Amino acid sequence: MLITEELTYRHSDSFELTSIDLHIKQGEIVSLLGPNGSGKSTFLRLISRLITPGSGEVLLNGERLNRMKSQEVARNLAMLPQMQDHQLDVTVGELVEFGRHPHRSGYGKLSREDQEIIDWAIGVTKLEKYKNRMLQSLSGGERQRAWIAMAIAQRPKVLLLDEPTTYLDISHQLEVMELVTQLNETYGMTVIMVLHDINQAASYSDRLIVLKDGSVRFDGIPQCVLCKEMFHSIFEIDAEIFMNNGKYFFTPSTLEKGECYEG
Ligand code: ADP
Ligand code: MG
């Protein structure tokens, strides 16, 4: 569904995303992992065409992304950037309405279909009672759901999420992860997201791609990517890997057993 061929992008002399060759299948949930500054956001920006590659291609369903019309790109891909402007002076309903923009021919009245999809997006994200509330008045978790509602109102085939759970407490993090699973299972959306919580990524993803210094270092199912060597070479930590209910997870093992921080 989404292929990158020898994708390269240079921000400066000190950072270059190099030769990214990936095939993302339809219906996959893929998490991008890697230290800060490893190029995760740059990669998402490239595949959503917010920036243009220095060389290489992104193919979406066999078509070159850089040849597609903007509306066509937006009908296929929705991107939730890393930090949203929380000062936006709009209601939840108005925000979600923006998501219909790529499907509309002008600024006229919303069609019945637009309205139904907006209501669907608000329903899926459980925001019905907040529809007329100002975005700024919502809690972090509700606001994140509102941004996701806007993205899915685009009815994208591929949903790109840059750190959708950062700054949320654990229950709201899990709520977002469950929503992502539901969008994938019920509506067949392909999801590519950046996560910092490696255990959550392993638990909710079909595939993990680990970047470091602008290149892909590990790519595979969680069971294969979660290994001591990955933690050592990418994050420079020692880790123990465990399995519970078919899910893989790790704990860092730099502290000796029983040792605790004495502050
Ligand atoms: P990540 O999302 O993995 O933390 P990014 O893709 O945001 O990493 O950034 C990768 C590298 O590119 C970093 O070193 C960052 O400082 C640099 N970078 C990101 N955006 C820009 C930009 N607009 N101009 C120059 N350098 C940038
Ligand atoms: Mg980032």
Side-chain angles (χ1 to χ4, degrees), residues 90-93 129-135 137-139 142:
V90 292
T91 65
V92 170
K129 61 178 185 210
Y130 303 109
K131 190 173 174 182
N132 297 314
R133 279 264 298 271
M134 297 306 286
L135 192 63
S137 74
L138 304 185
S139 73
E142 291 153 0

Side-chain angles (χ1 to χ4, degrees), residues 74-243:
R75 284 178 195 158
N76 281 283
L77 297 166
M79 162 83 158
L80 196 67
Q82 192 164 346
M83 265 187 280
Q84 294 92 40
D85 181 10
H86 293 168
Q87 303 310 316
L88 263 190
D89 208 13
V90 292
T91 65
V92 170
E94 285 162 349
L95 178 72
V96 179
E97 202 180 302
F98 291 148
R100 293 308 299 155
H101 186 61
H103 294 268
R104 298 169 64 195
S105 46
Y107 284 96
K109 237 174 134 240
L110 290 169
S111 71
R112 194 194 176 94
E113 192 196 359
D114 288 328
Q115 204 53 259
E116 280 170 8
I117 293 173
I118 290 165
D119 289 343
W120 164 80
I122 287 175
V124 171
T125 50
K126 302 198 179 74
L127 288 167
E128 290 95 338
K129 61 178 185 210
Y130 303 109
K131 190 173 174 182
N132 297 314
R133 279 264 298 271
M134 297 306 286
L135 192 63
Q136 295 133 304
S137 74
L138 304 185
S139 73
E142 291 153 0
R143 206 152 47 203
Q144 188 61 301
R145 295 212 306 275
W147 283 100
I148 294 176
M150 182 194 76
I152 65 172
Q154 258 174 259
R155 279 294 180 110
K157 297 182 181 70
V158 185
L159 187 59
L160 308 172
L161 306 168
D162 200 347
E163 299 193 21
T165 52
T166 305
Y167 309 121
L168 299 183
D169 64 47
I170 184 66
S171 66
H172 289 105
Q173 288 177 27
L174 295 177
E175 207 174 79
V176 168
M177 300 311 292
E178 292 296 332
L179 173 59
V180 165
T181 307
Q182 186 196 349
L183 291 168
N184 172 262
E185 287 177 355
T186 313
Y187 305 101
M189 275 182 210
T190 305
V191 179
I192 307 174
M193 58 188 165
V194 174
L195 294 177
H196 274 299
D197 188 319
I198 297 170
N199 287 333
Q200 267 174 24
S203 163
Y204 284 96
S205 315
D206 300 312
R207 175 174 172 193
L208 305 178
I209 294 175
V210 187
L211 293 171
K212 189 172 189 181
D213 299 333
S215 59
V216 173
R217 302 292 175 89
F218 291 83
D219 177 2
I221 56 173
Q223 177 181 356
C224 295
V225 170
L226 253 66
C227 61
K228 282 174 177 285
E229 194 209 331
M230 191 280 284
F231 286 101
H232 195 75
S233 64
I234 304 291
F235 296 100
E236 289 155 25
I237 61 167
D238 291 322
E240 297 294 330
I241 321 295
F242 303 92
M243 204 259 274

